[in-house]
C-alpha cells in the first residue's frame, strides 16, 4: 500500500458511504482516513470498510508528497468552511454536489482551489430519486400491464427539513442532475 493514492473522507453520512463503496477494492486506492462531526458514524464506517484512521480534527492533516484525494460529503452549508480547512493539503478533491449552496459560494470554492492549486471535481452521486420512489410505490400496488408517467425533478415539499438558505437556493443547489 506504499504507492497507493490515499483517500480521505469528510463526512460520514449516506453519500460518503456510497463514495467509499465505489472506491473500495479499486487498484491503487487506499481508504486511508475519515473525519466527521459525528464520531460514532465515522467509527461505524471505519469498521465496516476497514478505513485506516479516524481523524478528530482538521489539524491532523499534513502537507506531504504522498498523493491524496479528499472526498467531501458534508452538509451543503458546511462545504465552504470544510474546503477552506482542507484544500491546502490535497492534490485532488471530489465535492458532492452542489459545491456551495449558491453560485456566489461556489465561486469562493473555485477561488480557493486556484489559491491552493488543488484540482476539484464535483460528484453527481445519486442516492435518492423521489420520482423513482413514487414509481416504486405505484408498481407495488399494481402488478398488471401499465404505462406510468411521472414528471418531476424533485418535490420541494419533501425538503422542508433543510435550512432556509438551502431551500431559497434550491434550484441552484439541486438543479445539476
Amino acid at each position: 500500500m506504499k504507492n497507493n493514492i490515499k483517500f480521505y473522507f469528510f463526512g460520514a453520512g449516506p453519500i460518503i458511504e456510497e463514495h467509499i463503496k465505489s472506491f473500495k477494492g479499486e487498484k491503487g486506492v487506499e481508504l486511508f482516513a475519515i473525519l466527521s462531526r459525528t464520531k460514532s458514524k465515522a467509527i461505524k464506517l471505519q469498521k465496516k470498510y476497514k478505513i485506516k484512521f479516524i481523524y478528530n480534527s482538521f489539524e491532523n492533516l499534513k502537507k506531504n508528497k504522498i498523493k491524496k484525494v479528499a472526498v467531501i460529503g458534508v452538509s451543503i452549508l458546511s462545504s465552504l468552511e470544510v474546503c477552506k480547512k482542507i484544500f491546502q493539503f490535497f492534490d485532488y478533491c471530489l465535492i458532492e454536489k452542489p459545491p456551495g449552496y449558491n453560485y456566489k459560494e461556489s465561486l469562493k470554492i473555485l477561488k480557493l482551489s486556484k489559491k491552493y492549486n488543488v484540482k476539484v471535481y464535483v460528484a453527481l452521486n445519486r442516492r435518492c430519486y423521489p420520482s423513482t420512489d413514487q414509481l416504486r410505490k405505484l408498481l407495488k400496488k399494481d402488478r398488471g400491464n401499465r404505462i406510468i408517467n411521472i414528471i418531476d425533478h424533485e418535490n420541494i415539499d419533501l425538503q422542508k427539513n433543510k435550512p432556509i438558505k438551502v431551500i431559497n437556493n434550491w434550484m441552484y443547489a439541486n438543479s445539476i442532475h
Side-chain angles (χ1 to χ4, degrees):
M1 292 203 170
K2 187 177 179 182
N3 295 323
N4 285 348
I5 297 173
K6 297 182 182 327
F7 277 68
Y8 292 65
F9 299 94
F10 296 89
I15 290 288
I16 283 295
E17 184 168 11
E18 293 303 315
H19 285 296
I20 291 169
K21 285 188 222 176
S22 70
F23 292 116
K24 183 178 174 28
E26 288 293 321
K27 186 176 180 180
V29 168
E30 182 178 357
L31 304 180
F32 189 74
I34 187 165
L35 184 144
S36 174
R37 66 180 177 201
T38 310
K39 191 168 182 178
S40 60
K41 288 182 180 180
I43 290 169
K44 182 180 172 187
L45 291 177
Q46 180 197 30
K47 288 178 181 177
K48 186 174 181 179
Y49 296 101
K50 297 177 177 57
I51 298 170
K52 201 168 192 171
F53 297 106
I54 289 183
Y55 279 21
N56 295 318
S57 71
F58 294 100
E59 286 76 39
N60 296 2
L61 299 173
K62 293 180 177 61
K63 185 74 175 171
N64 55 37
K65 294 181 182 185
I66 299 169
K67 283 271 190 219
K68 296 185 290 191
V69 175
V71 181
I72 303 169
V74 298
S75 70
I76 296 168
L77 296 178
S78 300
S79 293
L80 177 60
E81 289 308 310
V82 169
C83 290
K84 284 179 184 178
K85 292 176 181 177
I86 69 170
F87 274 10
Q88 62 190 307
F89 302 110
F90 290 88
D91 302 295
Y92 301 93
C93 288
L94 181 66
I95 303 174
E96 181 58 38
K97 69 110 180 126
Y101 74 90
N102 63 17
Y103 182 68
K104 186 177 176 182
E105 188 168 277
S106 69
L107 290 178
K108 289 179 184 179
I109 291 172
L110 176 63
K111 187 176 177 180
L112 275 173
S113 73
K114 290 179 179 181
K115 176 181 176 181
Y116 291 110
N117 196 30
V118 60
K119 298 212 181 333
V120 176
Y121 300 88
V122 177
L124 301 175
N125 188 9
R126 296 297 303 260
R127 70 171 165 82
C128 180
Y129 307 84
S131 56
T132 303
D133 292 340
Q134 289 175 19
L135 180 59
R136 283 188 191 122
K137 288 176 188 173
L138 289 171
L139 291 174
K140 269 187 177 179
K141 293 178 187 176
D142 181 6
R143 295 284 184 205
N145 292 334
R146 62 205 162 268
I147 297 174
I148 299 173
N149 185 16
I150 299 174
I151 301 171
D152 178 36
H153 169 63
E154 186 158 346
N155 189 343
I156 191 70
D157 294 335
L158 298 175
Q159 307 310 318
K160 290 181 179 171
N161 63 336
K162 301 236 184 307
I164 194 69
K165 261 183 163 176
V166 174
I167 290 172
N168 287 343
N169 290 280
W170 192 249
M171 284 309 294
Y172 171 79
N174 209 43
S175 67
I176 59 172
H177 294 114

